[in-house]
Amino acid sequence: MLGIDPAADYRETDIPLPPGAVLALYTDGLVETPGVDIDDATVDLAAQLTQAQGQNLDALADTLVHHAQRSNPHKDDIALLLIRPRRQREGGKERLRERVSS
């Protein structure tokens, strides 16, 4: 990973995600627009995620990136990782599976 200090001590935390939830990891290019408060842009991103609940991750990624590009035509770089856990049955046991789209 870029910008990670190998000598630093990073604390790990487990956060369970319920089925249907989407974890969005992104760079500032997705939410920063000149003249727009970053908190307002983040709330707008959360609203976009909420409105697109039924979309598959590829369509959701496209929706979020296109929205950012319409909001900020300055073309800042965007990196986006979406994770949606879901339950899957394997051999009679239910286990959590994650699908990742970038």
Side-chain angles (χ1 to χ4, degrees):
M1 294 183 38
L2 298 174
I4 301 297
D5 180 359
D9 184 28
Y10 296 99
R11 186 175 57 189
E12 294 181 17
T13 302
D14 290 330
I15 301 172
L17 297 175
V22 174
L23 175 64
L25 305 174
Y26 54 90
T27 58
D28 63 346
L30 192 65
V31 292
E32 281 191 344
T33 301
V36 175
D37 182 75
I38 189 73
D39 292 331
D40 292 340
T42 303
V43 168
D44 185 44
L45 174 63
Q48 291 288 322
L49 283 164
T50 300
Q51 292 173 1
Q53 283 182 352
Q55 292 183 353
N56 68 44
L57 293 183
D58 292 331
L60 179 54
D62 288 342
T63 296
L64 296 176
V65 170
H66 287 128
H67 177 74
Q69 290 172 338
R70 282 192 311 269
S71 300
N72 183 8
H74 292 86
K75 307 279 189 218
D76 192 3
D77 62 321
I78 296 172
L80 173 63
L81 173 67
L82 299 174
I83 300 171
R84 176 182 287 147
R86 60 183 172 163
R87 300 232 175 249
Q88 174 181 0
R89 287 190 122 354
E90 265 185 27
K93 293 185 178 180
E94 206 173 73
R95 66 182 277 267
L96 191 61
R97 182 177 152 216
E98 295 174 353
R99 173 151 188 265
V100 177
S101 178
S102 57

